[in-house]
Amino acid sequence: MTHAITQQPPSDGSKALYGGTSSRRITVRDIARAKDRGEKWPMLTAYDAMTASVFDEAGIPVMLVGDSMGNCHLGYESTVPVTMDEMTLLSAAVVRGTQRALIVGDLPFGSYQEGPVQALRSATRLVKEAGVGAVKLEGGERSAHQIELLVQSGIPVMAHIGLTPQSVNTLGHTVQGRGEEAAHQLLRDAKAVQDAGAFAVVLELVPAELSAEVTRSLHIPTVGIGAGPDCDAQVLVWTDMAGLTKWPGRTPKFLKQYADLRTALGNAAKAFAEDVVGGAYPAEEHSFH
Ligand code: KIV
């Protein structure tokens, strides 16, 4: 299936984040200009060089090496066990696999909650050893001091509020910001991360009307996941987007699957196995003499 690009490119189309022609790496300054132009943009997660290279060639301007790698790549039950070593290894692979996308490395649980100095140590490692262009961390007001020190130190930060999966043990997986007090807190969190210097903020599982209000009130872009259509950008976990993730029950309401890789890959594996068992592979043309 092909998807028409309905959005009008900026008058200088070469600068568009998606569909632009510039081949240098995208920076946080390009992201800020896109918000000024009212341009929407897509973000996907990536955890390895080969998949990242496919998304880079497809023009995805921002990739997140998310701690969702815990569930989607490393076989953990949540994001909580992901370590700095794992994040650094996979972020470096994604950087190596890409030429144009801005690569954002996630700070895993336990790598920044102690305070700004711990956050700076962890973020510095991702920038120096993996080569990421920015880092992401969870939390609004509670993470503002960490964001401030990273930004002052020259490390661009994407914040993440609403449902923050590292807090799964306290928040569960429910929509956030429902009710007057929760909505006010979400707005306070959004303002706090912007004031601390974040260049963008992920809104996860937030009612669409509230996301729209946050998006209107901030000068930095909002990146929605389960946060309605009015965010400046949208992010999906790539294995969810491409139909590779195996869901124990129903797929989440916010998810749209753009392929069925789980079936395609399973069928390819079965066809290979049957060829081997039946003697059809390797054939004459696959053999050396
Ligand atoms: O780790 C991740 O993939 C994320 C996205 C869901 C935003 O944080």
Side-chain angles (χ1 to χ4, degrees):
M1 195 196 305
T2 56
H3 296 272
I5 302 170
T6 49
Q7 187 182 333
Q8 287 303 311
S11 50
D12 180 355
S14 67
K15 296 204 173 94
L17 291 182
Y18 174 69
T21 52
S22 143
S23 58
R24 66 160 174 78
R25 240 189 230 280
I26 285 163
T27 69
V28 294
R29 289 181 303 286
D30 299 315
I31 305 286
R33 288 185 203 114
K35 172 101 184 184
D36 295 342
R37 295 194 293 262
E39 180 189 331
K40 293 197 175 202
W41 45 276
M43 175 165 114
L44 282 173
T45 65
Y47 317 110
D48 68 278
M50 203 177 290
T51 312
S53 75
V54 173
F55 298 156
D56 207 40
E57 285 167 18
I60 298 297
V62 186
M63 279 179 232
L64 169 68
V65 190
D67 61 359
S68 50
M69 69 172 62
N71 323 58
C72 305
H73 196 74
L74 297 172
Y76 298 139
E77 282 198 359
S78 77
T79 63
V80 171
V82 173
T83 65
M84 273 303 295
D85 283 347
E86 289 162 340
M87 184 55 71
T88 307
L89 185 78
L90 301 196
S91 297
V94 169
V95 171
R96 284 193 294 271
T98 54
Q99 295 184 328
R100 180 172 182 267
L102 169 67
I103 308 301
V104 182
D106 230 350
L107 291 182
F109 181 65
S111 71
Y112 61 95
Q113 284 86 350
E114 280 175 33
V117 173
Q118 188 204 22
L120 181 58
R121 198 176 308 119
S122 303
T124 302
R125 183 163 174 211
L126 278 188
V127 171
K128 286 177 77 122
E129 292 180 33
V132 300
V135 301
K136 178 170 85 57
L137 54 75
E138 294 185 3
E141 286 181 326
R142 69 180 155 98
S143 296
H145 292 306
Q146 280 89 329
I147 296 173
E148 243 163 43
L149 182 61
L150 298 193
V151 174
Q152 277 164 16
S153 306
I155 301 177
V157 178
M158 178 178 280
H160 183 157
I161 61 174
L163 192 277
T164 46
Q166 292 175 11
S167 307
V168 62
N169 292 323
T170 49
L171 292 182
H173 278 113
T174 50
V175 175
Q176 303 293 301
R178 280 197 169 135
E180 208 173 321
E181 179 40 38
H184 283 142
Q185 182 59 52
L186 194 97
L187 281 159
R188 280 197 297 275
D189 282 334
K191 277 287 284 166
V193 299
Q194 172 176 272
D195 292 348
F199 75 89
V201 56
V202 171
L203 305 181
E204 180 163 356
L205 292 195
V206 172
E209 301 73 23
L210 181 56
S211 304
E213 190 180 344
V214 172
T215 302
R216 276 194 304 272
S217 62
L218 294 187
H219 60 76
I220 59 170
T222 55
V223 185
I225 174 163
D230 292 318
C231 295
D232 299 294
Q234 296 289 332
V235 57
L236 284 177
V237 167
W238 91 258
T239 53
D240 300 349
M241 178 281 298
L244 187 58
T245 305
K246 185 174 182 182
W247 295 97
R250 278 182 303 135
T251 57
K253 179 177 162 68
F254 68 80
L255 176 61
K256 179 170 175 183
Q257 289 176 316
Y258 289 83
D260 184 4
L261 284 200
R262 197 163 186 90
T263 304
L265 217 47
N267 286 344
K270 279 187 209 154
F272 166 66
E274 278 161 26
D275 273 3
V276 170
V277 170
Y281 179 82
E284 183 56 27
E285 68 266 30
H286 307 120
S287 305
F288 300 103
H289 294 289

